[in-house]
Amino acid sequence: MSEESALREEIVEIGRSLYLRGLSPGSSGNISARLDDGWLLTPTNACLGRLDPGDIAKLDWQGNHLAGKPASKEAFLHRAVYEGREDSGAIVHLHCTHSAAVSCLDCLDATSCLPPLTPYFVMRVGRLPLIPYHRPGDPQLGEAIRGLVGQHSSVLLANHGPVVSGKSLEAATYAIEELEETAKLYLLLRQQPVRPLDDDQIEELRQTFGAQW
Ligand SMILES: O=C(O)[C@@H](O)C(=O)COP(=O)(O)O
Ligand SMILES: [Zn+2]
């Protein structure tokens, strides 16, 4: 099987898994993956749980549509992340409930929307900056994200949801799942005094696992 066919199948499989676990309701969310000769992106208005490998759009780096159905309206956003993070192999954007809920909270620290509650969050997600609200599909969202993705593999779109990149589709998926779990913990703990990881504990994770905090 070619690299492209294998990635098309992987996007379908992961989209279905995310959908079946309630992480991508309705036709929300989009998934992309880098190829040697362009990149793949899920079609606009598609349910991630019912993708067809042949429908997934193929684009080149100039934004031309090469194959498949019309691409997600967030194509420019995915492209801005790939251009800002040359080591990214894939990107996942979801409207998963707890992360979307956090994205609507007032008084978020825009440089770090979630505290370092657990080692896995620090290792897989890192510091999570907030991107100010833009309507979905607004090309200015790409510009807003461009300045931050060099330092951060994950960002939170205000009143919307997370965008997470990874070296592989599996890595990006693991990271967005961890982000969603941490958002859930954060909301569960909102009325409790919380003891996040301290600077020494985070430094140890950085040195041991290359965590980007
Ligand atoms: O929130 C939106 O409208 C998009 O960010 C989204 O999640 C789904 O849009 P398409 O990928 O164009 O279906
Ligand atoms: Zn969205």
Side-chain angles (χ1 to χ4, degrees):
M1 195 189 279
S2 69
E3 180 210 17
E4 179 174 332
S5 303
L7 267 176
R8 285 178 181 275
E9 296 289 348
E10 193 182 351
I11 290 171
V12 170
E13 187 191 327
I14 284 183
R16 183 172 151 77
S17 164
L18 292 167
Y19 177 76
L20 289 176
R21 287 177 293 143
L23 294 166
S24 62
S27 62
S28 65
N30 27 76
I31 301 175
S32 69
R34 195 194 282 271
L35 295 167
D36 285 342
D37 60 347
W39 53 295
L40 298 174
L41 176 59
T42 48
T44 191
N45 293 321
C47 171
L48 295 188
R50 295 192 294 273
L51 293 169
D52 181 305
D55 287 348
I56 294 170
K58 181 173 181 180
L59 305 164
D60 68 17
W61 295 111
Q62 286 69 51
N64 298 309
H65 181 263
L66 305 176
K69 286 193 170 172
S72 166
K73 67 170 96 62
E74 309 288 22
F76 59 87
L77 182 149
H78 287 247
R79 196 169 137 199
V81 176
Y82 286 121
E83 287 172 356
R85 292 186 75 79
E86 292 193 347
D87 67 342
S88 335
I91 298 166
V92 181
H93 161 59
L94 297 175
H95 296 183
C96 35
T97 310
H98 301 88
S99 308
V102 168
S103 83
C104 301
L105 290 175
D106 209 356
C107 307
L108 282 175
D109 173 356
T111 67
S112 186
C113 298
L114 288 171
L117 290 177
T118 63
Y120 231 49
F121 176 70
V122 172
M123 288 154 60
R124 293 236 184 250
V125 179
R127 210 176 276 270
L128 180 71
L130 184 72
I131 307 285
Y133 177 78
H134 293 75
R135 71 161 166 76
D138 182 346
Q140 290 189 15
L141 194 48
E143 296 317 309
I145 222 169
R146 211 175 276 277
L148 284 168
V149 291
Q151 290 141 28
H152 303 280
S153 59
S154 304
V155 298
L156 188 62
L157 309 179
N159 301 80
H160 190 163
V163 177
V164 175
S165 63
K167 288 195 173 138
S168 64
L169 183 49
E170 183 181 63
T173 305
Y174 285 160
I176 203 164
E177 290 182 14
E178 190 57 31
L179 196 165
E180 171 64 1
E181 288 305 308
T182 306
K184 188 174 178 180
L185 291 179
Y186 176 69
L187 296 172
L188 278 171
L189 291 166
R190 272 195 102 201
Q191 309 305 327
Q192 311 288 333
V194 167
R195 189 190 59 254
L197 299 186
D198 64 28
D199 289 347
D200 290 345
Q201 290 164 333
I202 291 172
E203 184 57 30
E204 185 189 13
L205 292 170
R206 207 188 344 249
Q207 287 184 15
T208 311
F209 301 108
Q212 33 156 1
W213 189 270

